[in-house]
Amino acid sequence: MKIPPSEACQVLDDRGVLKRHRQDHSARIIEHVNDLIGGVMPADLEEFYKERIYQVADFLAVSPIWNDHVGWRTDDSLVTRLLRAQAVPLFWDGCGSLYGLDLTVGESTPGVYFFDHEDEFARPRWATGSSLGAFLLLLAEHDQALDEGRAAGWELSIDPDIDKCSRAPALWLA
């Protein structure tokens, strides 16, 4: 389900679960990430960086951090960590694993997947959003869904296309 990241961010802002970086270095970040991934990034990723996302609920975003006094404060390997699996990191899960946006050529609306640190991020383990915007909305609900003991597949109420992601099944099907 194509939900633009900007629309998802507006919903998350209204709910009070979105924190942003104070300064806007998005143009510099977009150029830097394009250089690191060796091509033109998907439009959703560019929009994600323009939103200056620092945190959604308890999940910290993964993006390069620029400091006007010292330059890049983030090691390039953080951005390139998922490249061998054709993805770019978006968020930490809080336990060392990553959520990453699919960079597979040909995906007009790239999905978001969970990459486990236990297999050194070798492949996507399960789908976490059929688009970046849908993923952001699901991420904001993640911990609450666990606390409430929601049934497997609750994600379909927010992202009806999550079980159609091409690289890995949805969590309840994995």
Side-chain angles (χ1 to χ4, degrees), residues 2-22:
K2 176 67 173 167
I3 298 172
S6 59
E7 286 182 26
C9 286
Q10 183 60 53
V11 170
L12 300 178
D13 261 339
D14 293 347
R15 291 179 48 203
V17 296
L18 176 66
K19 293 181 184 174
R20 299 175 193 270
H21 291 282
R22 282 182 276 137

Side-chain angles (χ1 to χ4, degrees), residues 59-62 78 81 90-99 121:
F59 297 92
L60 293 174
V62 175
L78 180 61
R81 185 163 287 152
L90 298 170
F91 285 88
W92 293 104
D93 77 335
C95 298
S97 296
L98 293 164
Y99 297 100
F121 313 107

